[in-house]
Amino acid sequence: MNLETIRSRLRSLGAQPLHEQRILRDWVRAQPYDQGRRRPQDFLPKPVREALPALDAELHGMARLISTHPGEDGSARLLVGLADGQAVETVLLPRDGVCVSSQVGCAVGCQFCMTGRDGLIRQVTSGEIVAQVVLARRQRPVKKVVFMGMGEPAHNLDNVLAAIELLGTEANIGHKNLVFSTVGDVRAFERLAASTVKPALALSLHTTKPGLREQLLPRAPKLTPRELVEHGERYARATGYPVQFQWTLLEGVNDGDDELDGIVELLKGKHAVLNMIPYNTIPDLAFKRPSWEKARAIAAALHQRGVLTKLRDSAGQDVDGGCGQLRARVARSIPIRAI
């Protein structure tokens, strides 16, 4: 069920825009309908009130909790079941954040990522994306939503942008605390720039070498690292939010001095921050995680050379490693089917 379907159903019951807004606002804030100055029995049309129990059941059924896997860092990886039997991962982040999935599987095929190994199974609807946030809010407060879970948001643009618009207008979440993460897509840059709600932008860079980028991200749009940085810089200057460049640090692949020189050449002076994340080991893949000491030295060297660099670790790494591993492992014991 996507958000427009929900709105259409409410309109068919006689709901006016203010009624739609009230119901959707209460849903995305995970709060009861009787909060606020206007009581439902005095404000909502009778057909809408009568339909609310069935609608609530469907809204809650879009994202159900299958299992919770707490991490030592205060995060928790959630395996979330969708209404058709598929499953995605949602991550409760430290400091009141949540990471949501936008696709079941992924078509980009990043060589170091578990999610894309089975390709794209299906899109996650706008309603299912928002439902992940609502599910997270039933566990703990949510003040930030990052679209960095399973899938490539730019390949599900209509659903993702619809979810961002609702979250940015009704969920009491600041626009800069909605983070759209992508490998880079010209259509996404154009749509984001024209959107009413303009989220912060995170771009998967991973290397400064065009040839290596094509190897690591074989089905990403054919943008060079320089072109990606230029698109990000334009958006960052237009919105005032620094663009976040994501760099999965792979031992012996993108951790050499030549890459550091390339990063400085591309990013120095840009309205940007480089998030460097040491690779999460995945069984059966040849990539290796560098030592934390090496990663820290690289981040410090870049910072000294004028590139704002933050060394991060994936939330809940002690639980299941990279995104997609939990779903892949648990899929052996629950029905996961393609449609």
Side-chain angles (χ1 to χ4, degrees):
M1 200 161 50
N2 61 40
L3 295 175
E4 185 52 39
T5 300
I6 298 169
R7 293 181 188 275
S8 295
R9 285 178 59 178
L10 290 170
R11 288 194 292 267
S12 71
L13 294 167
Q16 298 299 312
L18 280 175
H19 303 137
E20 291 178 35
Q21 181 185 31
R22 168 68 176 274
I23 291 169
L24 291 173
R25 183 180 67 230
D26 287 343
W27 176 48
V28 298
R29 295 188 183 186
Q31 66 185 23
Y33 293 117
D34 58 2
Q35 286 196 358
R37 292 182 293 107
R38 293 175 172 176
R39 298 179 302 172
Q41 59 266 37
D42 299 329
F43 178 62
L44 298 177
K46 184 177 179 181
V48 174
R49 296 199 308 271
E50 292 175 342
L52 277 181
L55 178 62
D56 284 343
E58 288 191 58
L59 294 178
H60 287 105
M62 280 195 291
R64 61 183 179 84
L65 183 62
I66 295 175
S67 59
T68 304
H69 304 257
E72 293 181 357
D73 58 359
S75 67
R77 288 187 177 271
L78 310 181
L79 185 67
V80 177
L82 308 179
D84 66 347
Q86 292 291 346
V88 294
E89 292 182 32
T90 303
V91 184
L92 304 179
L93 303 171
R95 296 177 294 280
D96 299 336
V98 62
C99 177
V100 298
S101 293
S102 58
Q103 295 180 308
V104 182
C106 183
V108 176
C110 299
Q111 296 299 292
F112 48 83
C113 176
M114 188 71 180
T115 299
R117 296 188 73 180
D118 294 328
L120 176 63
I121 298 173
R122 76 161 173 89
Q123 306 287 16
V124 176
T125 70
S126 55
E128 290 170 331
I129 293 170
V130 174
Q132 293 175 66
V133 179
V134 176
L135 179 63
R137 278 189 155 167
R138 294 194 209 115
Q139 316 290 318
R140 60 174 74 168
V142 170
K143 299 178 182 177
K144 182 174 184 177
V145 180
V146 297
F147 292 77
M148 297 182 184
M150 296 172 58
E152 166 52 49
H155 291 176
N156 190 16
L157 205 49
D158 288 343
N159 282 303
V160 170
L161 292 184
I164 285 175
E165 182 175 359
L166 180 62
L167 293 170
T169 55
E170 302 297 343
N172 198 25
I173 297 173
H175 296 187
K176 68 180 180 180
N177 287 328
L178 298 165
V179 184
F180 182 97
S181 176
T182 177
V183 296
D185 190 299
V186 173
R187 297 167 300 175
F189 297 132
E190 293 171 350
R191 293 279 299 275
L192 287 169
S195 296
T196 303
V197 176
K198 293 179 174 60
L201 183 63
L203 297 177
S204 297
L205 186 58
H206 303 308
T207 179
T208 64
K209 303 173 184 177
L212 179 58
R213 180 175 166 82
E214 289 188 14
Q215 293 177 33
L216 293 176
L217 289 69
R219 291 186 291 280
K222 301 305 179 184
L223 293 172
T224 66
R226 183 174 299 278
E227 290 170 335
L228 192 67
V229 170
E230 289 172 352
H231 280 291
E233 178 70 1
R234 282 194 290 271
Y235 186 80
R237 296 297 177 182
T239 61
Y241 314 147
V243 63
Q244 302 172 37
F245 288 101
Q246 310 295 99
W247 190 285
T248 299
L249 196 61
L250 306 165
E251 184 175 294
V253 177
N254 62 356
D255 60 349
D257 291 340
D258 54 345
E259 287 280 30
L260 271 64
D261 292 340
I263 291 171
V264 173
E265 197 271 330
L266 280 182
L267 297 187
K268 187 174 182 179
K270 298 295 191 295
H271 192 38
V273 57
L274 180 67
N275 289 327
M276 187 161 281
I277 306 172
Y279 172 68
N280 289 325
T281 302
I282 297 176
D284 304 325
L285 294 187
F287 298 105
K288 295 182 180 180
R289 175 184 175 92
S291 69
W292 190 255
E293 291 72 22
K294 181 176 183 179
R296 186 160 46 204
I298 290 173
L302 288 171
H303 199 80
Q304 289 173 357
R305 295 176 67 181
V307 176
L308 178 58
T309 305
K310 295 184 179 180
L311 184 60
R312 301 184 182 275
D313 218 349
S314 291
Q317 189 200 336
D318 54 304
V319 181
D320 287 289
C323 187
Q325 291 192 59
L326 174 59
R327 178 188 180 275
R329 198 167 67 194
V330 181
R332 303 187 188 105
S333 58
I334 65 172
I336 301 289
R337 57 185 176 83
I339 60 170

